């Protein structure tokens, strides 16, 4: 018995959690802290074990020391002695050559001993924090080494990137599906674990004054921004093979688009929700030629610039990046969802590195009132906005028009904001906490189903193919700026502009309430 005092909730089924790549950065920064938070909140219960797996030799004590340092540095709850000792007792380490099936047979024997010790009914969750090219081999050796012969459930959790394009993703999926059923495979997109991304459905479908307006009769455009202030840092070699298109657009940005554009599912059932998201992806207008890509897609690289008064080097000067690289660090596009609800409404998406502000936001711009009618004839009215703030601030921002105090009828924009992450006493769960907990309960709602992933690759592959035809056509932007001018032109030719994101100054807006 521990002295955990944090409010608890229903615990997941007892299970053994296998962390492949347990000495890697993802496990250290995200997985171990997530497991500790879940433990303190009662979501793991007491019938669990965590087995760290990697090639290097390590004792259980050394592994637990590594986990402790991980939690101390990255967890939202800091380890105290009583809770830590009880938690750490569930951890063990097993050196493993994932290419040697005999090692998996040894793992099976030690796993059965753990299950007996903690009364775990054969439930096993395999988290592959590994390079994607290893997923198939690990899956086969889990099967051939007897790790899937227990009577409980077996679930495979895998990280992006899931393939490099549609053919490679399909091949990888076939390798995994030879071992695991689709319902046993949990493909993580950590943006789907973020509080406000999960809140999109509630905002839309639980408020009577939004859903009737959520269509092309009332919405002028949708803007999705995922801005990063960092460069590629030590990930230069990896990033140069992926770029913004594969690293951000194919997964995070298209997933956010589907959440905004999907139809209400018939039930709050994972399969029904996935079905509606797939319909959106299949309705997004495909790029049929290089000319269409040239017209509606922007790619660019950051060059030397300034960030917060400090000089920063350009992408081609980063470590492990070739001096003639044409990999994009910035992506922007104008997309259309060609269905009855959204026909004609442009969806503008942009993401980039070395931008001025770290922010992920979704802006819904509503159509303005008719010109030359009532107040519009006397004032330059601004359109109403609904902004869903995903990261780092979590909340909702609404902008409306109101009368300026005084005797005349001057109209001014006013803003109202709900900041969920700013409330006193709120310690918002990390995305990985939600997703690990969901996987342990078998809830696949906020994971990516194969047909979603396939549809996303089929959308971005024509863009990558067009770029290969003209690799030299890469715009540039100084580090610390909002990208190339071509990204602004995507909107200006339609009569729109990028709305400021949180952290940018917005002129002439009066705050009428602020929960920060």
């Amino acid at each position: 018995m521990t002295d955990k005092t944090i409010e608890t909730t229903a615990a997941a089924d007892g299970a053994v959690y296998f962390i492949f790549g347990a000495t890697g950065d993802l496990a250290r920064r995200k997985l171990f802290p997530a497991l500790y938070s879940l433990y303190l909140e009662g979501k793991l219960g007491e019938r669990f074990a965590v087995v760290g797996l990697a090639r290097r030799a390590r004792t259980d004590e050394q592994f637990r020391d590594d986990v402790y340092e991980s939690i101390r540095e990255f967890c939202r709850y800091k380890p105290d002695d009583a809770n830590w000792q009880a938690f750490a007792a569930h951890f063990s380490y097993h050196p493993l050559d994932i290419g040697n099936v005999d090692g998996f047979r040894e793992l099976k024997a030690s796993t059965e001993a753990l299950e007996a010790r903690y009364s775990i009914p054969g439930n096993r969750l395999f988290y592959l924090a590994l390079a994607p090219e290893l997923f198939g081999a690990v899956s086969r050796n889990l099967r051939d080494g007897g790790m899937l012969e227990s009577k409980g459930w077996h679930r495979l959790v895998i990280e992006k990137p899931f393939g490099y394009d549609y053919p490679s993703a399909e091949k990888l999926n076939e390798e995994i599906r030879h071992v695991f059923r689709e319902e046993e495979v949990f493909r993580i997109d950590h943006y789907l674990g973020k509080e406000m991304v999960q809140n999109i459905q509630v905002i839309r479908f639980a408020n009577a004054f939004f859903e009737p307006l959520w269509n092309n009769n009332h919405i002028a455009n949708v803007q999705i921004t995922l801005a990063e202030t960092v460069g590629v840092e030590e990930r230069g070699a990896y990033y140069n093979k992926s770029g913004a298109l594969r690293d951000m657009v194919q997964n995070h940005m298209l997933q956010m688009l589907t959440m905004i554009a999907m139809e209400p599912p018939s039930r709050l059932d994972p399969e029904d929700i996935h079905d509606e998201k797939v319909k959106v992806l299949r309705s997004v207008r495909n790029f049929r030629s290089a000319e269409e890509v040239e017209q509606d897609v922007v790619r660019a690289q950051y060059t030397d610039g300034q960030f917060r008064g400090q000089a920063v080097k350009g992408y081609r000067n980063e470590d492990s990046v070739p001096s003639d690289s044409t990999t994009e660090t910035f992506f922007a596009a104008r997309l259309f969802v060609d269905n009855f609800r959204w026909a004609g409404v442009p969806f503008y998406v942009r993401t980039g590195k070395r931008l001025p502000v770290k922010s992920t936001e979704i802006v819904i711009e509503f159509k303005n009132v008719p010109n030359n009618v009532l107040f519009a004839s006397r004032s330059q009215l601004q359109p109403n906005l609904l902004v869903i703030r995903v990261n780092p601030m979590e909340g909702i921002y609404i902008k409306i028009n109101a009368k300026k105090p005084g005797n005349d009828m001057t109209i001014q924009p006013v803003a109202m904001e709900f900041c969920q992450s700013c409330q006193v006493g709120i310690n918002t769960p990390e995305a990985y906490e939600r997703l690990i907990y969901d996987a342990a309960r078998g809830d696949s709602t906020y994971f990516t189903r194969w047909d979603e992933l396939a549809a996303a690759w089929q959308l971005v592959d024509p863009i990558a193919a067009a770029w290969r035809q003209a690799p030299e056509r890469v715009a540039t932007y100084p580090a610390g700026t909002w990208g190339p001018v071509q990204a602004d032109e995507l909107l200006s030719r339609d009569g729109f502009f990028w709305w400021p994101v949180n952290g940018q100054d917005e002129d002439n807006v009066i705050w009428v309430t602020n929960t920060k």
Side-chain angles (χ1 to χ4, degrees):
M1 181 68 67
T2 72
D3 65 349
K4 299 193 295 293
T5 57
I6 296 170
E7 182 179 354
T8 62
T9 187
D13 295 340
V16 182
Y17 298 80
F18 299 89
I19 309 297
F20 288 80
T23 57
D25 197 55
L26 176 65
R28 184 173 68 92
R29 289 177 173 270
K30 298 295 184 182
L31 304 187
F32 300 144
L35 288 168
Y36 187 63
S37 295
L38 292 174
Y39 176 72
L40 290 185
E41 293 178 354
K43 295 177 181 177
L44 289 184
E46 296 294 339
R47 295 193 306 159
F48 77 95
V50 179
V51 180
L53 301 161
R55 290 183 66 96
R56 71 179 67 170
R58 216 104 179 119
T59 66
D60 289 350
E61 290 72 22
Q62 289 173 322
F63 179 52
R64 290 167 184 168
D65 288 343
D66 293 341
V67 173
Y68 180 87
E69 290 303 316
S70 157
I71 292 168
R72 186 185 61 80
E73 184 173 0
F74 297 109
C75 189
R76 60 194 179 99
Y77 298 121
K78 300 310 173 189
D80 63 88
D81 187 63
N83 286 324
W84 163 250
Q85 293 298 334
F87 175 70
H90 293 263
F91 277 67
S92 60
Y93 182 83
H94 190 103
L96 181 69
D97 176 358
I98 60 176
N100 182 1
V101 70
D102 290 335
F104 286 79
R105 295 189 179 103
E106 295 173 6
L107 178 62
K108 177 186 176 184
S110 62
T111 299
E112 290 170 348
L114 286 172
E115 289 170 339
R117 182 189 309 171
Y118 293 106
S119 300
I120 297 169
N123 299 326
R124 299 172 182 178
L125 186 148
F126 308 101
Y127 198 116
L128 306 193
L130 301 169
E133 57 266 23
L134 302 176
F135 293 170
V138 171
S139 299
R140 289 190 299 273
N141 284 335
L142 285 171
R143 177 195 61 200
D144 297 342
M147 288 295 295
L148 306 182
E149 295 173 358
S150 62
K151 294 181 179 179
W153 50 253
H154 308 104
R155 294 173 188 147
L156 184 74
V157 182
I158 52 180
E159 285 277 346
K160 75 176 185 74
F162 195 86
Y164 183 77
D165 52 16
Y166 175 72
S168 63
E170 184 178 40
K171 180 177 182 293
L172 184 56
N173 190 62
E174 288 175 354
E175 291 178 349
I176 292 172
R177 289 294 305 280
H178 282 140
V179 180
F180 291 92
R181 301 189 305 273
E182 173 64 27
E183 60 268 26
E184 295 176 318
V185 181
F186 290 72
R187 302 173 189 85
I188 274 197
D189 181 335
H190 72 269
Y191 259 75
L192 292 178
K194 291 186 178 294
E195 180 67 36
M196 290 310 299
V197 172
Q198 295 190 359
N199 220 334
I200 290 172
Q201 290 179 316
V202 178
I203 294 168
R204 286 188 55 189
F205 304 137
N207 293 289
F209 62 95
F210 282 141
E211 183 57 27
L213 306 180
W214 213 262
N215 54 59
N216 53 10
N217 292 322
H218 302 284
I219 291 177
N221 71 81
V222 178
Q223 301 176 19
I224 304 175
T225 296
L226 199 167
E228 298 182 287
T229 55
V230 297
V232 297
E233 312 301 338
E234 71 279 359
R235 299 172 69 228
Y238 160 77
Y239 194 88
N240 199 59
K241 296 178 181 178
S242 63
L245 178 66
R246 295 180 177 89
D247 193 45
M248 291 292 183
V249 179
Q250 181 271 335
N251 38 71
H252 306 328
M253 303 207 75
L254 286 180
Q255 283 292 328
M256 287 189 283
L257 186 151
T258 63
M259 300 288 279
I260 290 294
M262 65 185 280
E263 294 296 319
S266 58
R267 298 170 299 169
L268 285 178
D269 178 88
E271 295 308 307
D272 293 287
I273 293 170
H274 288 303
D275 288 345
E276 297 302 333
K277 292 166 70 178
V278 170
K279 290 177 185 177
V280 173
L281 291 169
R282 291 175 177 169
S283 297
V284 176
R285 187 182 304 172
N286 278 291
F287 292 97
R288 293 164 294 190
S289 67
E291 290 73 25
E292 289 183 355
V293 172
E294 181 71 17
Q295 177 180 345
D296 281 344
V297 179
V298 175
R299 60 170 171 158
Q301 282 181 354
Y302 63 84
T303 58
D304 295 348
Q306 295 281 323
F307 180 72
R308 295 176 183 170
Q310 300 292 321
V312 292
K313 56 187 176 183
Y315 175 70
R316 294 184 179 182
N317 296 321
E318 298 276 17
D319 294 340
S320 303
V321 174
S323 60
D324 59 350
S325 172
T326 59
T327 298
E328 75 287 354
T329 64
F330 179 95
F331 175 96
R334 182 177 70 154
L335 304 175
F336 289 93
V337 179
D338 290 335
N339 60 21
F340 192 81
R341 181 187 290 262
W342 295 106
V345 177
F347 285 71
Y348 302 107
V349 300
R350 64 173 172 173
T351 182
K353 292 189 174 295
R354 286 293 184 209
L355 301 183
V357 174
K358 175 181 174 63
S359 185
T360 299
E361 294 193 358
I362 304 167
V363 179
I364 314 297
E365 179 179 335
F366 291 89
K367 291 183 177 179
N368 223 331
V369 299
N371 292 328
N372 301 318
V373 175
L374 293 176
F375 301 112
S377 64
R378 302 176 57 181
S379 303
Q380 184 67 39
L381 299 184
Q382 292 194 20
N384 301 141
L385 301 180
L386 167 66
V387 181
I388 300 170
R389 289 179 165 163
V390 175
N391 185 54
M393 179 183 284
E394 300 171 346
I396 305 167
Y397 166 103
I398 297 175
K399 186 165 77 171
I400 63 174
N401 293 304
K403 175 183 173 296
K404 185 176 182 179
N407 294 327
D408 61 0
M409 291 300 294
T410 301
I411 307 299
Q412 66 183 9
V414 297
M416 297 178 286
E417 181 178 55
F418 165 67
C419 177
Q420 179 162 282
S421 57
C422 302
Q423 296 181 82
V424 175
I426 291 293
N427 194 351
T428 306
E430 294 290 333
Y432 278 90
E433 295 174 33
R434 295 189 182 92
L435 295 175
I436 292 173
Y437 181 54
D438 284 351
R441 296 184 301 131
D443 184 349
S444 64
T445 302
Y446 295 108
F447 292 82
T448 307
R449 203 169 67 183
W450 163 245
D451 52 354
E452 285 178 69
L453 186 67
W457 276 123
Q458 289 162 350
L459 283 172
V460 304
D461 279 356
I463 298 174
W467 289 350
R468 287 194 294 271
Q469 295 178 28
E472 73 284 352
R473 294 180 183 173
V474 182
T476 59
Y477 61 101
T481 67
W482 276 104
V485 65
Q486 292 93 326
D488 297 325
E489 292 170 351
L490 280 179
L491 283 75
S492 63
R493 66 177 185 239
D494 293 335
F496 302 122
F497 57 87
W498 292 106
W499 287 98
V501 300
N502 185 49
Q504 283 183 273
D505 293 331
E506 186 171 2
D507 297 332
N508 304 318
V509 175
I510 305 300
W511 290 93
V512 295
T513 183
N514 188 346
T515 62
K516 289 189 287 188

